[in-house]
C-alpha cells in the first residue's frame, strides 16, 4: 500500500516535468482505487448512483496532501485515475460475465461505465475491445474516452487533465463516440 | 458481418476531417457533401456513410453531465475568495451539486465545514435551491439538524458554513448528496 507522501511526491515530480513519474503513479492509484471500487461495487444497487468521479475523488482525498499539490498535479492525478478506472471496471465486468454466462445481450445505450459493468458486462467488454482498436488510430481519443466515459469527467476537466483545449476534447469526443458506436453495431 | 479495413492514424485523421465537415452541413446536404469529398474512393464513401449513420443513432456513450469532482483549480480560487474569514484545509467530499470543505474559522478559531455549490450550478438553477436550503437551515433548531453558522456569495461561489466536530463531521459527509432538510418535527425559531 503506497503512503500518501509517495503519491504527493510523484505528482510534484510530474508537475516539474518528469514524465517517467506517470508510470510510477498508475500502480499507486490503481491499488487504492481498486480497494474503494471493490467495496462500492460489492453493494450492488446501493441507494445512491455510484459515479466514477465519486470514486476518483475519494481516492484523491485519501492519497494526496492537498496543500502540496498544485492544479496541474491534480489534473495528472485524475487522468491517471481514468485509466485505472477503465482497468478496474473491465476486470470487474469480466468476472461478472463469467458469473452469468449466456445472459441476454440486448443493445442498450450505456450511460455510465460503473452501471454497465454491473448490469451489462458483455457490452462493456465489447467497448473495451473497440477502444483498444481506437487507441491504435488515435491515442489521444482513447485517453479522452477514458476520462469522459470511464471517469465521468466533464469536457473542461478532461481538457485540463490531458493538457489540451476544450475544443479539441469536444471534437475528438464526437469522432471517437461516433466511431465506437459504429464498431459496436456490427 | 462486414470486415472493415484497419485504419492507420492518417486515414482516420482524414475520415474525421470529412466527418466534421459533413456535420457542419445541414442533414439534407450531408450525403451530397460526402459524395463530393470522397470522390472515387468507394471504401471511404461507405465508411463515411456508416459513420454518419452511427452519429445519427447516437447512443453510446452519452455525455457525463454531472460535475461532481470540484473543478480543477476551484480549491485555489475558493481559498483566495474566502481568505479573510476562513482558511480552507481540504475537501471532505463531493456530491452531485456541491463540495464540502473542512476549514478553520479564523474569527472564532474553530473547525467548520463549508458547503460550496459548484460554480457552474450557482450560475443557473442550483442557486435557488441552495439559497432555499440556507434559509430553511437558518431557522431550524433540532438535534438532528446541523446548525448554520454563516452563508454567503463570493466570487461566483455560493456557500454556507456549519460546525464540524467528531460525529458531526460524519454527518456532514453524509449530507453531501442530501436534499434540503425536511421540515418535520423541527422547531422553527
Amino acid at each position: 500500500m503506497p503512503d500518501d507522501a509517495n503519491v504527493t511526491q510523484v505528482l510534484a515530480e510530474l508537475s516539474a516535468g518528469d514524465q517517467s513519474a506517470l508510470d510510477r503513479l498508475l500502480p499507486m492509484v490503481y491499488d487504492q482505487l481498486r480497494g474503494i471500487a471493490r467495496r462500492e461495487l460489492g453493494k450492488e444497487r446501493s441507494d445512491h448512483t455510484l459515479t466514477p468521479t465519486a470514486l476518483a475523488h475519494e481516492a484523491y482525498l485519501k492519497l494526496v496532501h492537498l496543500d502540496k499539490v498544485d492544479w496541474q498535479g491534480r489534473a495528472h492525478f485524475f487522468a491517471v485515475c481514468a485509466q485505472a478506472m477503465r482497468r478496474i471496471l473491465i476486470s470487474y465486468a469480466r468476472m461478472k460475465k463469467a458469473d452469468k454466462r449466456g445472459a441476454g445481450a440486448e443493445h442498450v445505450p450505456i450511460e455510465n461505465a460503473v452501471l454497465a459493468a454491473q448490469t451489462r458486462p458483455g457490452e462493456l467488454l465489447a467497448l473495451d475491445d473497440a477502444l483498444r482498436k481506437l487507441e491504435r488510430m488515435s491515442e489521444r481519443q482513447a485517453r479522452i474516452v477514458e476520462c469522459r466515459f470511464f471517469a465521468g469527467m466533464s469536457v473542461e476537466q478532461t481538457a485540463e487533465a490531458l493538457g489540451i483545449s476544450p475544443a479539441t476534447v469536444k471534437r475528438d469526443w464526437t469522432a471517437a463516440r461516433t466511431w465506437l458506436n459504429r464498431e459496436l453495431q456490427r | 458481418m462486414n470486415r472493415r479495413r484497419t485504419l492507420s492514424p492518417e486515414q482516420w485523421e482524414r475520415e474525421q476531417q470529412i466527418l466534421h465537415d459533413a456535420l457542419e452541413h445541414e442533414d439534407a446536404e450531408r450525403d451530397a457533401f460526402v459524395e463530393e469529398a470522397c470522390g472515387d474512393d468507394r471504401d471511404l464513401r461507405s465508411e463515411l456513410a456508416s459513420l454518419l449513420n452511427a452519429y445519427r443513432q447516437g447512443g453510446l456513450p452519452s455525455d457525463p453531465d454531472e460535475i461532481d469532482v470540484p473543478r480543477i483549480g476551484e480549491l485555489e480560487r475558493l481559498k483566495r475568495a474566502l481568505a479573510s474569514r476562513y482558511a480552507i484545509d481540504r475537501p471532505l467530499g463531493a456530491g452531485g451539486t456541491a463540495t464540502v470543505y473542512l476549514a478553520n474559522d479564523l474569527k472564532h478559531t474553530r473547525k467548520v465545514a463549508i458547503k460550496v455549490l459548484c460554480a457552474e450550478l450557482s450560475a443557473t438553477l442550483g442557486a435557488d435551491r441552495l439559497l432555499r436550503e440556507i434559509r430553511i437551515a437558518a431557522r431550524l433548531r433540532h438535534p438532528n439538524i446541523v446548525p448554520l453558522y454563516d452563508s454567503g456569495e463570493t466570487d461566483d461561489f455560493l456557500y454556507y458554513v456549519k460546525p464540524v466536530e467528531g460525529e458531526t463531521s460524519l454527518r456532514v459527509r453524509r449530507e453531501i448528496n442530501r436534499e434540503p432538510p425536511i421540515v418535520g418535527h423541527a422547531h422553527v425559531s
Side-chain angles (χ1 to χ4, degrees):
Chain A
M1 183 64 59
D3 62 271
D4 310 4
N6 264 337
V7 173
T8 306
Q9 175 61 32
V10 171
L11 286 172
E13 287 165 24
L14 258 175
S15 288
D18 178 1
Q19 286 303 310
S20 74
L22 209 57
D23 295 332
R24 278 176 285 140
L25 185 61
L26 186 59
M28 295 175 177
V29 172
Y30 180 80
D31 278 354
Q32 182 70 38
L33 206 52
R34 193 178 50 177
I36 298 168
R38 189 184 288 147
R39 188 193 70 216
E40 290 296 328
L41 288 165
K43 10 171 170 140
E44 267 185 64
R45 306 256 168 226
S46 52
D47 51 346
H48 63 288
T49 317
L50 175 63
T51 59
T53 23
L55 296 182
H57 193 76
E58 190 175 336
Y60 186 71
L61 295 180
K62 281 195 171 156
L63 286 174
V64 179
H65 286 300
L66 293 161
D67 292 348
K68 300 194 176 75
V69 170
D70 62 8
W71 69 268
Q72 275 174 319
R74 189 186 155 85
H76 283 307
F77 182 88
F78 281 105
V80 166
C81 259
Q83 281 190 52
M85 276 309 287
R86 176 178 166 193
R87 289 190 197 180
I88 290 163
L89 289 172
I90 292 305
S91 69
Y92 179 84
R94 239 178 233 128
M95 198 183 74
K96 196 82 181 157
K97 195 174 172 228
D99 274 358
K100 47 173 185 187
R101 209 165 272 289
E106 78 260 61
H107 186 84
V108 201
I110 295 176
E111 309 80 15
N112 173 326
V114 178
L115 195 67
Q118 286 173 324
T119 58
R120 300 187 297 275
E123 219 169 300
L124 197 65
L125 294 178
L127 175 66
D128 189 55
D129 285 343
L131 199 50
R132 242 174 291 155
K133 278 171 85 176
L134 179 65
E135 208 154 21
R136 290 196 290 271
M137 287 153 47
S138 168
E139 160 103 29
R140 189 177 68 199
Q141 286 178 0
R143 293 286 91 77
I144 289 171
V145 174
E146 280 171 352
C147 288
R148 297 278 284 145
F149 181 65
F150 283 94
M153 294 157 78
S154 69
V155 168
E156 283 75 19
Q157 287 165 352
T158 303
E160 281 164 348
L162 299 177
I164 51 183
S165 74
T168 302
V169 173
K170 270 187 207 154
R171 192 181 162 85
D172 273 358
W173 172 244
T174 300
R177 202 164 47 153
T178 301
W179 187 86
L180 287 169
N181 206 22
R182 194 206 52 193
E183 279 297 296
L184 294 167
Q185 280 168 0
R186 287 186 185 189
Chain B
M1 181 185 283
N2 52 343
R3 280 253 65 91
R4 289 197 172 81
R5 57 196 174 142
T6 315
L7 297 179
S8 69
E10 294 73 29
Q11 284 168 321
W12 174 227
E13 189 58 51
R14 183 165 172 229
E15 281 191 13
Q16 285 177 73
Q17 188 59 53
I18 300 173
L19 175 69
H20 287 300
D21 289 347
L23 293 177
E24 301 273 301
H25 289 70
E26 295 290 315
D27 207 12
E29 297 163 16
R30 273 179 202 164
D31 290 343
F33 170 81
V34 167
E35 194 107 330
E36 202 190 315
C38 297
D40 294 335
D41 192 335
R42 237 193 266 166
D43 283 349
L44 187 60
R45 208 189 299 170
S46 83
E47 271 279 316
L48 261 303
S50 74
L51 282 175
L52 279 174
N53 194 33
Y55 178 84
R56 274 186 211 109
Q57 293 184 4
L60 170 141
S62 61
D63 287 83
D65 283 325
E66 74 268 64
I67 306 160
D68 57 4
V69 168
R71 284 283 306 278
I72 295 164
E74 178 178 297
L75 183 62
E76 288 70 21
R77 277 209 306 133
L78 187 66
K79 275 183 176 172
R80 275 199 305 276
L82 296 176
S84 63
R85 292 228 40 207
Y86 302 99
I88 307 283
D89 183 8
R90 62 192 160 88
L92 289 172
T97 53
T99 306
V100 176
Y101 295 93
L102 181 68
N104 281 310
D105 180 344
L106 300 173
K107 190 169 164 194
H108 304 100
T109 53
R110 61 186 171 189
K111 293 259 181 212
V112 293
I114 303 184
K115 182 167 179 174
V116 181
L117 197 68
C118 294
E120 290 90 344
L121 290 169
S122 303
T124 54
L125 58 138
D128 283 346
R129 191 180 128 184
L130 192 81
L131 286 172
R132 196 176 66 228
E133 197 173 338
I134 290 171
R135 276 197 300 272
I136 293 170
R139 298 195 327 244
L140 299 176
R141 290 283 179 282
H142 186 272
N144 289 331
I145 294 174
V146 183
L148 183 81
Y149 280 164
D150 184 19
S151 67
E153 196 175 354
T154 175
D155 188 20
D156 284 350
F157 292 110
L158 263 174
Y159 67 93
Y160 67 84
V161 184
K162 303 171 178 196
V164 53
E165 53 191 85
E167 183 255 352
T168 311
S169 69
L170 187 69
R171 199 186 304 144
V172 171
R173 290 189 67 150
R174 284 212 194 100
E175 207 172 284
I176 297 159
N177 283 313
R178 231 187 44 178
E179 288 298 302
I182 293 160
V183 187
H185 305 296
H187 309 289
V188 176
S189 56

